Amino acid sequence: CKAVSSQFEFNPQMASTCFERLAQPIGNRLAKLIAPETMASSSKAVVAEIERLMVIVRYLNLPSVDPDQPFVLELMKQSWIVLDATACKFPKDPHLAEKLCRLHKHALRKVGAELYVPLLEPLMTQIVRNFDMSHQSPYLYLASICITEYGRNSEYEQNLFVMISQLSTSCFSLLKSMDDFTNQPDVVEEFFYLVGRFMYYCPEPLVLSPLLLSLIQCASAGMHIQHRDANKGTLNFLENTLTYGIDVVKKGQSASLQADLDSGDKERVDAATKTKEHLLLCQQSLQAAILAEGQNIVTNICRALIGELPAYALDSRSGSLTGVIWKFNVLCPELLLNWLAQPLETVPDSHVKMDFIECVRERRDEDELVYFTRAFNKYYERMRSLAGTSNGGRESIHAHY
């Protein structure tokens, strides 16, 4: 593809002919493979054709006669119906779902978000329908790509939120018990990275929706799952949610906003008043959700630190137990201390426990919190291991004391 691209770099007319000769046979074979009269028992041949399309999308760089209609965009428009039918014909095939979603991702990034807009709405519609039909995690990953590419643009914010809401409904219906979480860790992982990304790029529609509390409750349940990446996904979402809370408080207290309120200029005062009221509404909505589930989250963190729940992501980037504690302590330090008191009351006293509590109470810097959290975790996991040995395998740090 790279060699072909160099041959037609300055000849758009010839490039068009070349493009058709490369892409059209693939489209024809795909159409034949997914036709109703073709009784294909395997998607292997279909996947091979999608991979060929992906090579063209990723590596073929040809000049376009119309800069607003690049070849890759035209290819996706022409292939849309066939690709859609492919997903419907093999809904339960994870390999095909992965290849199909990668094709859409590379096409979107190759064309660019602005030119890809005509296909965004049908793409989101397909993502929701295909996931609801198949429960394949690649569709959640593709939804995350849409958030990344369009989430900063307020024009698409509401439609992205509709997509998130519909995908959440599907996930909630799928994840009804702890066994469901355990049996589908890839869905848990991608779902929480998706909603975490939404909280990072365009959080306000979600913050102002009852859906936020449901997601936080679901994340709290996901902290129990014995799967590294899925567990980290839940913590990533919780961290991003708390980060938003910290940011919205800072914006409400910013010097520039106060300067506008004090300016005496009616237009500036009116705009600043409206902004402050909106920020307050977001702050109150987030606060209500955190108050409702904060105790459960902090209890889960304490249980993870003493070895009763998974502690895969103790202090890693983009989602960790320490990160959640740190951001709770920035956002609502008094509440955090109250929430810590109940689960830590049953943990045997030690110098590491006191050091950890003191670090939180004094609101020391994040590096110190990481150090004392690690020490706390290491000490009580060791005590738990010793308790299990002395009690015939029945681990309990409480029984050891």
Side-chain angles (χ1 to χ4, degrees):
C1 280
K2 292 181 179 178
V4 171
S5 299
S6 64
Q7 293 293 317
F8 297 101
E9 185 176 358
F10 303 106
N11 193 336
Q13 286 73 27
M14 289 296 293
S16 178
T17 303
C18 169
F19 179 77
E20 289 176 6
R21 290 182 64 183
L22 283 171
Q24 191 169 359
I26 300 174
N28 291 341
R29 289 194 296 270
L30 261 178
K32 185 176 180 180
L33 286 167
I34 57 97
E37 62 271 16
T38 303
M39 302 299 292
S41 58
S42 168
S43 62
K44 187 175 180 180
V46 175
V47 168
E49 298 302 337
I50 292 174
E51 288 181 325
R52 292 186 179 99
L53 279 179
M54 200 180 331
V55 170
I56 291 175
V57 166
R58 295 185 68 181
Y59 301 112
L60 189 64
N61 297 299
L62 298 179
S64 298
V65 177
D66 182 357
D68 291 334
Q69 293 293 322
F71 284 117
V72 169
L73 181 62
E74 195 58 36
L75 171 64
M76 295 306 292
K77 287 180 177 178
Q78 291 176 8
S79 308
W80 200 263
I81 295 175
V82 174
L83 293 173
D84 191 25
T86 299
C88 293
K89 184 157 187 173
F90 301 99
K92 298 296 183 181
D93 189 314
H95 192 48
L96 185 142
E98 180 191 352
K99 297 299 181 183
L100 194 59
C101 290
R102 287 185 65 201
L103 173 63
H104 282 295
K105 177 189 77 171
H106 288 300
L108 169 53
R109 289 184 169 168
K110 184 71 170 281
V111 172
E114 185 176 350
L115 293 180
Y116 209 79
V117 165
L119 296 180
L120 176 61
E121 195 66 36
L123 179 60
M124 291 193 294
T125 300
Q126 284 188 18
I127 288 170
V128 171
R129 184 207 61 202
N130 291 349
F131 179 75
D132 193 48
M133 182 170 54
S134 69
H135 295 147
Q136 299 291 339
S137 62
Y139 294 112
L140 299 175
Y141 173 72
L142 184 56
S144 292
I145 299 300
C146 294
I147 301 299
T148 302
E149 297 296 329
Y150 293 98
R152 297 292 192 197
N153 191 326
S154 59
E155 183 179 349
Y156 309 111
E157 197 174 77
Q158 191 56 40
N159 286 343
L160 291 171
F161 175 65
V162 170
M163 176 183 70
I164 286 287
S165 300
Q166 292 171 334
L167 290 171
S168 296
T169 299
S170 294
C171 284
F172 293 155
S173 68
L174 182 65
L175 304 172
K176 292 179 178 178
S177 69
M178 208 56 238
D179 284 343
D180 295 331
F181 278 81
T182 302
N183 294 334
Q184 294 161 108
D186 58 323
V187 171
V188 176
E189 175 191 354
E190 293 297 350
F191 177 57
F192 281 109
Y193 275 115
L194 167 62
V195 291
R197 193 167 294 192
F198 196 91
M199 285 301 301
Y200 181 81
Y201 282 95
C202 45
E204 290 188 1
L206 179 53
V207 169
L208 296 172
S209 163
L211 176 60
L212 178 64
L213 176 56
S214 298
L215 289 171
I216 293 175
Q217 290 169 334
C218 191
S220 181
M223 294 173 74
H224 293 244
I225 190 171
Q226 295 282 352
H227 186 280
R228 182 178 300 275
D229 294 330
N231 189 270
K232 185 172 171 60
T234 65
L235 296 172
N236 173 267
F237 164 67
L238 291 173
E239 264 204 61
N240 284 353
T241 300
L242 294 171
T243 299
Y244 171 78
I246 294 167
D247 290 343
V248 83
V249 170
K250 287 180 179 177
K251 287 177 183 176
Q253 298 172 346
S254 70
S256 59
L257 181 61
Q258 192 59 47
D260 286 342
L261 289 168
D262 297 339
S263 65
D265 181 285
K266 185 178 185 306
E267 188 174 337
R268 286 177 64 189
V269 171
D270 288 348
T273 301
K274 186 176 180 182
T275 298
K276 193 170 183 68
E277 288 173 351
H278 178 71
L279 291 171
L280 182 60
L281 184 62
C282 292
Q283 188 178 342
Q284 290 171 340
S285 180
L286 181 63
Q287 183 182 42
I290 289 174
L291 282 171
E293 195 61 25
Q295 179 66 75
N296 288 335
I297 293 168
V298 172
T299 297
N300 286 343
I301 291 173
C302 291
R303 292 184 63 197
L305 293 179
I306 63 173
E308 291 182 358
L309 289 179
Y312 300 116
L314 191 61
D315 58 6
S316 57
R317 293 177 178 271
S318 303
S320 69
L321 297 169
T322 305
V324 175
I325 296 171
W326 168 255
K327 288 176 181 177
F328 264 133
N329 210 24
V330 174
L331 183 62
C332 48
E334 292 81 10
L335 279 173
L336 175 60
L337 283 171
N338 290 336
W339 289 333
L340 283 170
Q342 181 182 331
L344 290 183
E345 187 178 3
T346 61
V347 175
D349 289 335
S350 69
H351 70 281
V352 292
K353 174 181 171 181
M354 299 310 297
D355 288 344
F356 172 72
I357 295 172
E358 195 67 19
C359 180
V360 173
R361 181 181 291 114
E362 293 181 359
R363 301 178 68 184
R364 298 181 195 170
D365 65 43
E366 190 170 7
D367 287 341
E368 285 195 75
L369 180 62
V370 168
Y371 174 81
F372 287 113
T373 305
R374 275 194 168 277
F376 183 96
N377 173 247
K378 185 176 180 180
Y379 180 85
Y380 284 105
E381 283 207 334
R382 180 172 175 272
M383 292 302 99
R384 183 178 177 83
S385 177
L386 291 173
T389 302
S390 62
N391 286 282
R394 297 188 302 276
E395 296 180 1
S396 169
I397 62 170
H398 312 295
H400 187 66
Y401 284 81

